[in-house]
Amino acid sequence: MHHISQDTDHKRLYLRTFGCQMNEYDSQRMAQVLQSEYSLTLCPEEADLILINTCSIREKAENKVYSLVGRIKKFKEQRPDLVIGIGGCVAQQEGKRLLRRMPYVDLVFGPQAIYRLPSMLREIKMGKRPILSIETRDDFHIPLITSPLPEPNPVRTFVTIMQGCDNYCTYCIVPYVRGREVSRPPGDILAEIRAVIRQGVKEVTLLGQNVNSYGKKLGACPSFSGLLRMVAQVPGLRRLRFTTSHPRDLSRDVMECFRDLDNLCEHLHLPVQSGSTRILRRMNRHYTRDQYLKKIEELKSICPDICLTTDLIVGFPGETDADFEETLSLLRSVEFDQIFAFKYSPRPFTVAATWSDEYVPEGLKAERLTRVLELQREIGLRRYKAMENQVKEVLVEGPSKKNAEELMGRTRGNHIVNFLAPRDLIGKFVDVKISKACYHSLRGELSSPVS
Ligand code: 5AD
Ligand code: SF4
């Protein structure tokens, strides 16, 4: 009796997302294309449709998917009408093998098939199952969707400006599961941003695997810095961010946007991957340690307040102690606010996965990861401590993750701040005085609402 919904026609969708922001964006689109028939639920037990958007960037991410799908199997036993779909990168990578391994799955679909979800679900209802839809087309274009975002109305959201990747870093599976690099036309991007702002969004992050090469294949299109300048002018857009940048393609034009555009926040995620030029070459990254450090120096001189974060991989095949020391010394000299460090994980289709005779032993990878995180803890805490007693402009996003009595928001530098304040400030900009630095977050006290 407990879930008689007012709209009995509306079915329920449980949507679970793993992985990167690209996947979060894709999940949002799944909810949007299905919203005339399905509303979102947080309980898989009461769902009519369960969609799992998967990630295969590292083996660990892939395994999480298998364990979740295994747990969902029992719902299907209890309710044979339940439809289970697996989307995203594992779907793309494993395809038919997934269906063979898990016969209770009704649908396996890749990132390009999201827009056909309504018709595929109709076919399943008519008894045509399972469906496998993972073909990728090089001329695929992300459709423009300006319909309402899924509830609850978000304060910040992502807008994809390009998808796919042509870089072929030797460790990375992305080009194989996400296909070739395709930029969206600026008109679509602007229309989508205007639509989300109408719905109350204050902060937009432009998304792409390699945003700096935006427009390269579109001919008359603006460059990435040109696009940033256009987007920044959209009325009502209070904060703008972008991710991910490739260090090789980070141009002076883009750096100058941080100085020139008021709503472009002073945060850049610039994945370095390794501090050793030798390893960077083997990763096919097309920059050296010195070139990376020079770009950081140039950026800091153009925008002294810039906050930096990075990704790095430890234990890439052939990484010696000396190579690893270079990564540590790079962290010391750049002083990132936060790093995302990963143990190298061999991925299907990739070049580095064939260098098994040079694999770094698991124990050594784990030891290097611990050392890198220990060093970063020191650096990060020092950087966060320097913000104590400062007043920061915070965009309030919602209840705090750790303590539902509190609210959380973000500074322009992308630092998370937790503080006590009334709920009606969600979606507002407030001044918060930073009282205490923690690792990866700040505590603060409300000073005064700004707007
Ligand atoms: N092993 C470990 N980490 C990886 N990444 C990408 N591929 C791998 C891999 N095979 C990391 C990179 C990238 C981030 C999203 O994931 O650091 O920037
Ligand atoms: Fe992967 Fe490299 Fe492309 Fe990033 S730039 S998605 S790491 S291939």
Side-chain angles (χ1 to χ4, degrees):
M1 283 304 289
H2 57 283
H3 39 86
I4 295 177
S5 98
Q6 288 178 321
D7 179 359
T8 44
D9 282 350
H10 242 67
K11 289 179 285 191
R12 288 174 185 268
L13 161 63
Y14 175 78
L15 181 52
R16 181 73 194 272
T17 310
F18 293 92
C20 65
Q21 292 154 335
M22 203 66 81
N23 267 14
E24 274 180 52
Y25 176 82
D26 283 353
S27 289
Q28 184 176 301
R29 306 220 119 205
M30 292 180 201
Q32 278 174 302
V33 299
L34 293 171
Q35 76 195 164
S36 62
E37 286 175 80
Y38 292 88
S39 34
L40 288 171
T41 171
L42 296 172
C43 311
E45 307 84 26
E46 65 168 36
D48 303 290
L49 170 63
I50 295 182
L51 293 178
I52 304 169
N53 195 4
T54 62
C55 169
S56 64
I57 193 94
R58 286 168 294 276
E59 199 181 356
K60 212 163 129 194
E62 194 181 330
N63 289 338
K64 276 192 206 155
V65 175
Y66 296 121
S67 76
L68 174 65
V69 183
R71 271 178 277 142
I72 280 167
K73 185 179 170 191
K74 66 170 189 289
F75 301 136
K76 181 99 172 182
E77 283 157 5
Q78 289 154 8
R79 300 181 30 219
D81 282 350
L82 171 66
V83 175
I84 300 179
I86 303 186
C89 298
V90 178
Q92 192 69 45
Q93 175 197 317
E94 292 297 307
K96 218 184 229 156
R97 277 195 297 265
L98 270 184
L99 290 175
R100 234 179 280 140
R101 182 167 168 178
M102 301 186 250
Y104 45 91
V105 167
D106 300 282
L107 170 65
V108 169
F109 61 107
Q112 295 190 2
I114 292 169
Y115 305 94
R116 283 186 283 110
L117 271 172
S119 63
M120 293 189 296
L121 290 169
R122 270 194 298 277
E123 286 183 34
I124 290 171
K125 211 189 238 158
M126 292 186 317
K128 222 184 120 195
R129 73 167 292 281
I131 293 182
L132 176 67
S133 184
I134 54 165
E135 51 293 338
T136 52
R137 298 175 52 136
D138 286 356
D139 60 350
F140 172 76
H141 271 96
I142 300 173
L144 172 65
I145 298 186
T146 52
S147 58
L149 293 166
E151 299 277 328
N153 274 347
V155 171
R156 59 196 291 263
T157 194
F158 304 111
V159 170
T160 293
I161 62 164
M162 61 185 315
Q163 72 149 35
C165 181
D166 287 352
N167 280 326
Y168 293 98
C169 301
T170 53
Y171 50 82
C172 187
I173 196 173
V174 166
Y176 306 94
V177 288
R178 289 265 173 188
R180 297 286 60 72
E181 204 170 277
V182 186
S183 298
R184 298 180 79 189
D188 283 11
I189 296 168
L190 291 168
E192 222 168 275
I193 293 173
R194 288 193 199 102
V196 296
I197 288 173
R198 274 198 301 275
Q199 294 171 54
V201 164
K202 303 286 191 306
E203 175 179 311
V204 168
T205 302
L206 304 180
L207 277 188
Q209 302 292 346
N210 182 11
V211 290
N212 300 107
S213 59
Y214 175 79
K216 274 192 186 150
K217 293 188 196 161
L218 277 183
C221 235
S223 64
F224 180 56
S225 60
L227 180 75
L228 276 177
R229 287 174 192 273
M230 280 162 74
V231 166
Q233 283 170 24
V234 173
L237 179 62
R238 296 282 305 265
R239 282 182 174 187
L240 174 60
R241 304 180 190 275
F242 61 84
T243 199
T244 302
S245 275
H246 192 299
R248 172 196 56 195
D249 302 321
L250 178 66
S251 63
R252 183 159 183 107
D253 283 357
V254 171
M255 296 185 196
E256 285 172 350
C257 288
F258 283 108
R259 182 194 62 199
D260 299 344
L261 306 175
D262 287 343
N263 48 4
L264 182 62
C265 294
E266 296 78 16
H267 167 236
L268 179 68
H269 183 65
L270 196 64
V272 66
Q273 311 299 2
S274 168
S276 151
T277 296
R278 195 181 74 86
I279 295 295
L280 288 169
R281 197 171 298 128
R282 289 168 58 97
M283 289 176 162
N284 196 30
R285 292 289 288 177
H286 300 284
Y287 55 86
T288 63
R289 171 195 174 88
D290 282 350
Q291 284 166 337
Y292 184 91
L293 290 171
K294 284 225 173 69
K295 293 232 172 173
I296 296 284
E297 212 175 287
E298 190 181 357
L299 179 59
K300 282 181 177 170
S301 75
I302 294 171
C303 177
D305 294 337
I306 195 84
C307 297
L308 298 161
T309 56
T310 201
D311 289 345
L312 57 89
I313 296 176
V314 297
F316 185 77
E319 186 188 69
T320 63
D321 285 342
D323 292 319
F324 176 65
E325 289 300 330
E326 292 213 77
T327 296
L328 295 177
S329 85
L330 183 130
L331 292 187
R332 282 189 206 101
S333 69
V334 178
E335 300 207 306
F336 295 101
D337 281 340
Q338 199 175 346
I339 65 166
F340 301 88
F342 310 102
K343 289 187 282 182
Y344 170 72
S345 165
R347 304 311 292 139
F349 320 118
T350 60
V351 174
T354 66
W355 302 337
S356 54
D357 50 334
E358 293 179 88
Y359 281 0
V360 173
E362 196 49 46
L364 190 51
K365 277 199 276 192
E367 190 190 311
R368 286 181 184 166
L369 184 64
T370 308
R371 282 187 63 199
V372 117
L373 293 176
E374 267 169 12
L375 171 62
Q376 179 55 33
R377 199 183 164 84
E378 224 175 86
I379 295 168
L381 263 175
R382 190 172 348 116
R383 296 257 323 155
Y384 275 57
K385 276 226 179 305
M387 286 183 271
E388 285 180 356
N389 297 318
Q390 290 181 8
V391 174
K392 296 274 180 193
E393 181 205 79
V394 169
L395 171 55
V396 187
E397 288 176 24
S400 155
K401 295 244 161 62
K402 285 182 205 133
N403 178 354
E405 306 281 285
E406 289 187 340
L407 298 183
M408 69 76 70
R410 224 172 271 264
T411 67
R412 287 176 59 102
N414 213 34
H415 315 99
I416 303 256
V417 188
N418 295 300
F419 55 102
L420 258 176
R423 290 232 161 183
D424 58 2
L425 290 181
I426 293 173
K428 301 274 193 316
F429 289 88
V430 294
D431 275 347
V432 177
K433 185 171 180 190
I434 306 305
S435 52
K436 189 173 170 16
C438 314
Y439 185 49
H440 290 171
S441 72
L442 299 164
R443 293 204 51 77
E445 281 149 27
L446 195 59
S447 287
S448 71
V450 207
S451 57

